[in-house]
């Protein structure tokens, strides 16, 4: 026992050894929350308060779940195989598999990932002859998922206008299509399992008796439905229900756009009458100056649960700030700084270049490429989302469930087998008439469409028969051959990489088989593990597999950086409208989420943090002129080391008449420092305008010109529009009128 609890700080020890009760653990960045959660589970088992089967632990990524199980296996001499440790979607899938009849699903139901769901929606719109310009598939997908995540079925959606009513009808048709095909999307997994628990008391009571301890990681990222799902297991927090142990950080809630509800933490504290709120504030990652900066930033947010990070590792270096004239200058400087860090002995893999928006990466990538610096964009196309893998999985899905129309449509003519668009249209029309799946409709067709489609059906039937009792890897291998996928990619000029990926799918199947917890009886059933493997593939889609062994600079958005840490972090593009993003100003809590995002970015750095911004930036084909981010102003000045003299013009104070003069270093240019153009104090501008004049803009209203630069078609003015803020406008485009 003492070994298990060794090296825990007092707050961690208090959290781990709490008696069975509801608890909220406010765990700051780098405070060892994963260790606390895992040790808590191990301590409950070792102290005899719970057995492995009586614990429900929920994480947000498959990677985190696997890491937790691996740590538990190392801590305790117990098998973790039967434990309910996984993601919300993974555990919901497990529940529905066990109670598929009660949930109204076929035994071998398949899971649609985001791309498959979009394809299914497009197919629905085409079948119903709905204009996809009036009802864009992606928007409809967002609408459907939003309703499901709110726990709302079509009949309960409030529709006050014809457009919404039509969307609700499409939502209803989509549900009918999924039910007919025996498929569920990600949002449906959670909603269907929640409804099963809510409406089926025997099932609900069974799991409430079974799980006496519920532990949740990253609780700040839960949406309303996920929280309601957890409450079903915990008997709504009633006396005698399971103990809820929730670990999270309200300061790192950055997924509001995905439906994450930071208010769940306060609701949990109130509804479960939580008496134990423990703050993990000691940080084991970053130096003191970085933590002081993070604390100063996040302090500007209201309604926080409250935390103040600290470390005993010393203050470390100041935070370096660089102001560039343009984005190209900023990128050049970043590359030169990276080169200098590498010369000093730092590995490239320990350097992260963060940005708020993906669009910012182009100029950075160009400079890194030009300098010959290896880099990796964190994210990218994932294994199970690659084209050739999706094709292979579609064939496997048809073997498991022939009524899966999305899988059918994907591979019916891939590789090409003479089935044209007209044949597919005839099939879809017939499927509508007979109210059957595409596969089941084929025998009803005559003529050429019936002949060519029947050949495809025979191919699937042959594959299903020939693979009935094969082990999973051999089954996959057989399908790759019979489907013609291997032959197709062998014939492709650049098909080598795709063939390697198909071979890797065999490895994925073999690994899954080795890890699967299947009994001898299950193994004797036809295609026993195929449905589980396909569910695994759908749930794993989105899990990034980083390249191994290469030393490369890491490029990523701030959102992608959450959960990661690096020795050096360079955060670029700190400009108003970019970070904080301009869209955040329009949302009531948008700016606070942007500030939490800034907090996440800062706390990724262990040793050294750089902040940079540019006076002008090319984005989406346009040059933008921005003020420096308000977040820079929120840092205590004593923590900052300016690598360039801070220009008043680009600070907030410039909006109220500050000087526009300032000089800027241009890396490797061999030129003298470049001055920013001064404002002509009384020079006439196009249209007879001048500094100090009152003007009117069609969108921003009335304002006063406070600075100007350039001439002719390049002339631009800085205008204070009062409530609308301070803007730099290109006069050739702005169409200002004298007020």
């Amino acid at each position: 026992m003492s070994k298990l609890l060794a090296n825990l700080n007092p707050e961690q020890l208090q959290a781990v050894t709490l008696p069975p009760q509801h608890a909220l653990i406010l765990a700051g960045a780098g405070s060892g929350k994963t260790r606390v959660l895992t040790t808590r589970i191990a301590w409950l088992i070792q102290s005899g308060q719970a057995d492995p089967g009586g614990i429900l632990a929920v994480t947000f990524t498959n990677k985190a779940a696997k890491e937790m199980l691996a740590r538990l296996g190392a801590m305790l001499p117990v098998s973790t195989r039967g434990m309910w440790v996984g993601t919300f979607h993974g555990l919901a899938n497990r529940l529905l598999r066990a109670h598929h009849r009660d949930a109204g699903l076929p035994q071998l139901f398949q899971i649609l990932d985001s791309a498959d769901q979009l394809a299914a929606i497009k197919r629905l719109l085409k079948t119903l002859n709905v204009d996809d310009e009036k009802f864009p598939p992606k928007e409809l997908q967002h609408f459907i998922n939003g309703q499901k995540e709110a726990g709302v079925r079509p009949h309960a959606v409030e529709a006050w206008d014809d457009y919404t009513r039509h969307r609700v009808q499409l939502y209803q048709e989509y549900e009918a299509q999924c039910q007919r095909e025996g498929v569920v999307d990600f949002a449906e997994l959670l909603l269907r399992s929640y409804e099963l628990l809510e409406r089926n008391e025997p099932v609900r009571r069974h799991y409430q008796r079974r799980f006496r301890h519920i532990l949740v990681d990253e609780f700040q990222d839960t949406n309303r439905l996920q929280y309601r799902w957890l409450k079903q297991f915990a008997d709504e927090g009633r006396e005698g229900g399971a103990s809820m142990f929730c670990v999270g950080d309200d300061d790192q809630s950055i997924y509001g756009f995905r439906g994450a509800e930071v208010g769940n933490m306060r609701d949990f504290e109130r509804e479960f009458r939580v008496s134990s709120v423990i703050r993990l504030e000691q940080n084991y990652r970053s130096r003191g100056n970085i933590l002081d900066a993070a604390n100063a930033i996040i302090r500007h947010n209201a309604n926080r649960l409250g935390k103040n990070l600290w470390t005993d590792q010393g203050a470390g270096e100041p935070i370096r700030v660089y102001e560039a004239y343009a984005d190209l200058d900023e990128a050049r400087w970043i590359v030169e700084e990276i080169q200098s860090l590498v010369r000093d002995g730092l590995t490239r893999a320990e350097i992260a270049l963060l940005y708020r928006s993906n669009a910012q990466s182009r100029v950075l990538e160009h400079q890194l490429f030009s300098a010959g610096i290896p880099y990796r964009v964190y994210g990218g196309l994932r294994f199970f989302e690659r084209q050739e893998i999706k094709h292979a999985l579609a064939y496997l899905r048809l073997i498991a469930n022939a009524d899966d129309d999305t899988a059918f449509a994907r591979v019916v003519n891939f590789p090409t087998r003479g089935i044209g668009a007209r044949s597919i249209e005839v099939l879809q029309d017939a499927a509508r008439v007979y109210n059957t799946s595409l596969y089941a409709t084929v025998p009803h067709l005559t003529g050429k469409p019936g002949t060519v489609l029947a050949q495809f059906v025979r191919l699937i039937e042959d594959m299903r028969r020939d693979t009935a009792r094969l082990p999973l890897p051999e089954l996959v291998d057989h399908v790759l051959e019979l489907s013609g996928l291997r032959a197709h990619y062998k014939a492709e000029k650049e098909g080598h990489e795709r063939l390697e990926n198909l071979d890797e799918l065999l490895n994925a199947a073999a690994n899954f088989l080795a890890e699967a917890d299947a009994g001898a009886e299950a193994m004797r059933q036809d295609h026993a593990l195929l449905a589980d493997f396909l569910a695994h593939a759908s749930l794993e889609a989105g899990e990034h597999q980083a390249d191994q062994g290469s030393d490369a600079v890491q490029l990523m958005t701030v959102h992608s950086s959450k959960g990661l840490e690096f020795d050096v972090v360079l955060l670029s593009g700190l400009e108003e409208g970019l970070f904080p993003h301009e869209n955040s100003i329009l949302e009531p809590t948008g700016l606070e989420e942007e500030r939490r995002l800034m907090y996440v970015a800062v706390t990724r750095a262990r040793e050294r943090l750089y902040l940079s911004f540019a006076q002008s930036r090319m984005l989406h084909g346009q040059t933008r002129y921005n003020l420096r981010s308000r977040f820079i102003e929120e840092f205590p000045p004593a923590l900052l080391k300016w690598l360039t003299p801070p220009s008043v013009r680009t600070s907030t104070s410039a909006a109220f008449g500050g000087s526009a003069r300032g000089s800027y270093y241009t890396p490797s240019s061999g030129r003298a420092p470049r001055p920013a153009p001064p404002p002509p104090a009384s020079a006439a501008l196009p249209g007879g305008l001048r500094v100090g004049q009152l003007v009117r803009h069609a969108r921003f209203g009335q304002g006063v010109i406070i600075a100007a630069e350039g001439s002719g078609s390049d002339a631009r003015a800085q205008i204070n529009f009062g409530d609308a803020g301070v803007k730099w406008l290109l006069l050739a485009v702005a169409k200002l009128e004298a007020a």
Side-chain angles (χ1 to χ4, degrees):
M1 187 74 72
S2 59
K3 187 180 178 183
L4 191 66
L5 303 178
N7 302 317
L8 296 175
N9 67 39
E11 291 77 22
Q12 290 173 334
L13 182 64
Q14 183 189 356
V16 166
T17 57
L18 275 173
Q21 60 183 275
H22 305 309
L24 179 61
I25 313 301
L26 294 176
S31 63
K33 68 176 176 62
T34 305
R35 182 185 181 193
V36 166
L37 200 66
T38 311
T39 310
R40 169 74 174 173
I41 296 172
W43 182 77
L44 287 170
I45 295 170
Q46 196 176 76
S47 62
Q49 297 182 62
D51 60 70
I55 288 172
L56 178 69
V58 192
T59 67
F60 267 84
T61 66
N62 291 305
K63 182 182 176 185
K66 287 175 182 175
E67 187 180 317
M68 192 177 292
L69 286 169
R71 288 193 187 187
L72 282 169
M75 285 178 175
L76 294 173
V78 296
S79 173
T80 58
R81 188 160 282 206
M83 293 183 68
W84 281 57
V85 177
T87 63
F88 280 100
H89 292 115
L91 295 172
N93 171 61
R94 187 168 178 176
L95 184 69
L96 292 175
R97 296 281 172 197
H99 305 278
H100 63 91
R101 285 193 185 87
D102 295 319
L105 290 169
Q107 185 176 3
L108 298 180
F109 71 84
Q110 296 303 301
I111 302 170
L112 300 178
D113 64 16
S114 294
D116 286 334
Q117 184 192 19
L118 187 61
I121 290 170
K122 287 178 179 176
R123 186 160 38 80
L124 176 75
L125 295 176
K126 191 173 181 181
T127 304
L128 298 175
N129 291 318
V130 174
D131 185 357
D132 60 6
E133 290 190 4
K134 190 175 180 182
F135 296 93
K138 278 202 169 181
E139 284 186 20
L140 186 58
Q141 182 185 32
H142 183 73
F143 171 77
I144 291 170
N145 289 340
Q147 297 302 324
K148 287 187 178 186
E149 286 168 2
V152 181
R153 292 293 186 189
H155 65 86
V157 178
E158 292 186 355
W160 303 105
D161 56 86
D162 288 341
Y163 184 73
T164 306
R165 279 191 285 272
H166 204 152
R167 286 204 297 180
V168 171
Q169 288 171 5
L170 292 172
Y171 176 16
Q172 198 162 8
E173 290 285 349
Y174 169 76
E175 282 209 324
Q177 174 179 287
C178 288
Q179 191 67 29
R180 187 170 61 249
E181 297 174 14
V183 296
V184 297
D185 53 51
F186 279 152
E188 183 70 20
L189 273 176
L190 207 63
L191 179 55
R192 188 74 67 108
S193 63
Y194 167 75
E195 290 172 343
L196 170 68
L197 292 168
E198 184 191 39
R199 297 169 185 175
N200 194 316
E201 188 175 355
V203 172
R204 183 174 69 252
R205 293 297 179 201
H206 166 76
Y207 286 103
Q208 287 175 350
R209 285 192 298 271
R210 174 175 177 175
F211 299 125
R212 305 307 300 161
H213 295 273
I214 300 168
L215 301 97
V216 189
D217 194 13
E218 305 286 5
F219 189 62
Q220 78 280 351
D221 293 335
T222 54
N223 61 32
R224 298 306 297 180
L225 182 59
Q226 287 164 339
Y227 179 47
R228 287 164 64 187
W229 185 84
L230 289 166
K231 286 166 69 175
Q232 291 297 317
F233 288 101
D235 198 16
E236 303 286 343
R238 295 184 185 92
E239 195 171 338
S243 299
M244 284 266 287
F245 186 91
C246 298
V247 182
D249 183 2
D250 56 326
D251 293 333
Q252 292 190 75
S253 180
I254 59 173
Y255 297 120
F257 64 96
R258 291 185 195 166
E261 181 56 65
V262 68
N264 285 347
M265 299 184 80
R266 285 194 178 277
D267 290 348
F268 168 64
E269 191 178 1
R270 185 186 70 256
E271 293 169 3
F272 283 72
R273 298 172 294 284
V274 177
S275 57
S276 298
V277 178
I278 297 172
R279 290 169 171 80
L280 305 182
E281 297 177 310
Q282 185 174 358
N283 179 282
Y284 295 93
R285 176 189 300 161
S286 307
R287 296 283 189 166
N289 283 339
I290 294 169
L291 296 181
D292 289 346
N295 290 331
I297 282 281
I298 204 64
R299 210 171 285 132
H300 287 78
N301 276 2
N303 301 315
R304 294 172 60 230
L305 293 169
K307 237 178 15 291
N308 199 62
L309 297 180
W310 63 275
T311 183
D312 57 8
Q313 299 183 76
E317 300 180 28
I319 295 164
R320 293 162 170 84
V321 187
Y322 178 80
E323 179 178 11
Y325 183 74
D327 53 353
L328 191 61
D329 299 322
E330 181 191 33
R332 286 198 197 109
W333 171 78
I334 286 170
V335 167
E336 289 190 359
E337 196 63 28
I338 290 170
Q339 289 171 322
S340 175
L341 290 166
V342 172
R343 281 195 300 271
D344 290 343
L346 194 69
T347 61
R348 284 185 287 266
E350 284 301 333
I351 302 173
L353 182 46
L354 307 187
Y355 36 82
R356 173 64 180 85
S357 166
N358 270 311
Q360 294 169 246
S361 76
R362 183 196 61 80
V363 66
L364 298 169
E365 289 189 58
H366 178 72
Q367 290 300 321
L368 287 165
F369 176 80
S370 301
I373 297 175
Y375 70 91
R376 184 183 307 117
V377 179
Y378 188 87
L381 206 58
R382 306 155 185 91
F383 179 77
F384 286 112
E385 294 178 346
R386 293 169 188 167
Q387 182 203 77
E388 60 278 13
I389 300 301
K390 298 273 288 184
H391 287 325
L393 292 175
Y395 279 105
L396 293 170
R397 283 166 54 181
L398 283 176
I399 290 172
N401 175 14
D403 294 327
D404 187 340
D405 283 4
T406 303
F408 185 101
R410 184 177 189 92
V411 294
V412 65
N413 198 39
F414 190 92
T416 54
R417 47 179 64 89
I419 301 173
R422 178 60 187 153
S423 295
I424 301 298
E425 276 183 34
V426 170
L427 179 63
Q428 288 171 337
D429 291 343
R432 191 77 182 160
V433 171
Y434 291 104
N435 195 29
T436 54
S437 68
L438 297 177
Y439 193 97
T441 307
V442 171
H444 297 290
L445 298 186
T446 57
K448 186 186 176 185
T451 304
V452 292
L453 287 164
Q455 290 173 354
F456 176 71
V457 167
R458 277 196 297 275
L459 172 66
I460 301 299
E461 293 293 343
D462 289 345
M463 284 196 285
R464 184 181 290 115
R465 184 191 64 244
D466 294 344
T467 60
R469 296 297 173 92
L470 289 180
L472 189 61
E474 291 180 33
L475 184 158
V476 175
D477 188 47
H478 202 69
V479 168
L480 294 179
E481 286 295 336
L482 285 184
S483 65
L485 286 173
R486 274 215 178 99
H488 173 81
Y489 289 119
K490 278 178 184 174
E492 269 196 356
K493 187 178 179 181
E494 297 177 359
H496 178 69
E497 188 176 337
R498 296 191 188 277
L499 285 169
E500 285 183 347
N501 287 334
L502 290 176
D503 288 338
E504 188 59 33
L505 186 62
L506 295 180
N507 296 338
N511 292 338
F512 178 81
L513 183 62
E515 295 173 3
D517 188 17
E521 183 61 34
M523 293 296 289
R524 284 195 288 269
Q525 298 173 17
D526 293 352
H527 305 117
L529 290 175
L530 181 56
D532 288 341
F533 175 66
L534 291 168
H536 161 80
S538 293
L539 294 167
E540 283 278 316
E543 232 21 68
H544 176 68
Q545 303 292 324
D547 296 336
Q548 298 294 320
S550 58
D551 184 27
V553 176
Q554 307 291 312
L555 271 68
M556 67 194 77
T557 63
V558 180
H559 278 104
S560 298
S561 75
K562 189 169 177 287
L564 305 175
E565 55 186 77
F566 305 91
D567 283 350
V568 176
V569 168
L570 298 104
L571 178 57
S572 64
L574 277 171
E575 299 137 32
E576 286 291 305
L578 203 56
F579 198 6
H581 197 275
E582 57 194 357
N583 292 346
S584 68
I585 310 299
L586 306 173
E587 300 167 8
T589 60
L591 188 59
E592 292 210 342
E593 179 143 334
E594 288 290 299
R595 190 172 282 111
R596 291 195 291 270
L597 198 57
M598 183 68 182
Y599 175 85
V600 167
V602 169
T603 53
R604 297 312 93 196
R606 297 193 198 101
E607 299 288 338
R608 191 180 288 191
L609 175 64
Y610 294 86
L611 310 174
S612 64
F613 60 98
Q615 293 183 26
S616 65
R617 182 174 302 277
M618 183 69 76
L619 277 176
H620 313 299
Q622 295 182 329
T623 300
R624 291 174 50 161
Y625 300 90
N626 296 313
L627 305 177
R628 72 179 177 222
S629 171
R630 69 189 71 194
F631 296 151
I632 292 179
E633 311 299 324
E634 292 174 2
F635 284 112
L639 299 177
L640 304 181
K641 179 182 180 181
W642 285 83
L643 302 181
T644 49
S647 169
V648 181
R649 185 183 73 82
T650 54
S651 72
T652 312
S653 62
F656 306 99
S659 169
R661 290 186 176 273
S663 59
Y664 307 93
Y665 166 63
T666 308
S668 301
S669 64
R671 301 191 299 270
R674 173 167 45 178
S682 58
L685 294 166
L689 301 172
R690 67 186 187 280
V691 174
Q693 187 174 356
L694 208 60
V695 293
R696 183 173 297 281
H697 186 268
R699 179 181 172 188
F700 303 123
Q702 189 168 285
V704 62
I705 302 176
I706 56 176
E709 62 185 35
S711 59
S713 61
D714 292 327
R716 63 190 187 112
Q718 189 182 35
I719 305 166
N720 187 348
F721 288 107
D723 291 343
V726 178
K727 315 282 182 186
W728 276 99
L729 300 179
L730 201 63
L731 295 179
V733 177
K735 296 185 172 67
L736 296 171
E737 297 177 359

